[in-house]
């Protein structure tokens, strides 16, 4: 069962429907929904660190094009392994890699 938690004077509120992900909805019919993710972006990469930072010297790249992960799901992080494709299909997201060119 869905329950509306907060509603602004502008006609927008948060709708919680059984799961942990609230939806941002317009007043009235709830026909226009935008998912608002309440979880963290990084699910598992180097969680023991207070901040994940990687430095890349572009001149030192071995390949002319190197793809770096931006979805935080790569098994070869910080390099991209294509995990964003599955993530995008599952979530409707559109994230892709950062491509560094030498």
């Amino acid at each position: 069962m869905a329950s509306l938690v907060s509603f602004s004077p502008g006609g927008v509120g948060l709708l919680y429907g059984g799961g942990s992900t609230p939806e941002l909805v317009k007043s009235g019919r709830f026909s226009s929904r935008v998912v608002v993710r309440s979880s963290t972006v990084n699910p598992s990469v180097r969680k023991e660190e207070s901040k994940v930072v990687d430095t890349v010297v572009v001149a030192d790249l071995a390949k002319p094009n190197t793809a770096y992960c931006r979805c935080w799901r790569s098994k070869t992080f910080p390099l991209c392994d294509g995990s964003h494709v599955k993530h995008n299909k599952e979530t409707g997201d559109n994230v892709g890699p950062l491509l560094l060119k030498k």
Side-chain angles (χ1 to χ4, degrees):
M1 181 174 159
S3 62
L4 188 59
V5 174
S6 174
F7 220 167
S8 72
V12 177
L14 287 177
L15 175 70
Y16 288 87
S20 63
T21 304
E23 295 182 20
L24 189 62
V25 296
K26 292 181 181 177
S27 175
R29 300 177 184 204
F30 302 110
S31 60
S32 180
R33 295 180 179 190
V34 177
V35 174
V36 179
R37 290 180 178 84
S38 61
S39 61
T40 61
V41 173
N42 175 4
S44 61
V45 176
R46 297 179 356 218
K47 296 298 277 188
E48 68 282 355
E49 298 177 26
S50 62
K51 185 190 314 184
V52 178
V53 177
D54 292 293
T55 302
V56 177
V57 179
V58 177
D60 293 342
L61 292 174
K63 300 176 184 177
N65 295 315
T66 304
Y68 283 84
C69 177
R70 292 193 305 172
C71 74
W72 290 90
R73 280 136 183 95
S74 175
K75 301 286 189 257
T76 60
F77 191 88
L79 298 176
C80 175
D81 68 358
S83 294
H84 60 274
V85 174
K86 179 181 176 188
H87 165 76
N88 289 346
K89 285 181 182 177
E90 290 175 349
T91 65
D93 206 348
N94 66 346
V95 70
L98 167 66
L99 186 59
L100 296 182
K101 295 182 178 186
K102 193 170 184 180

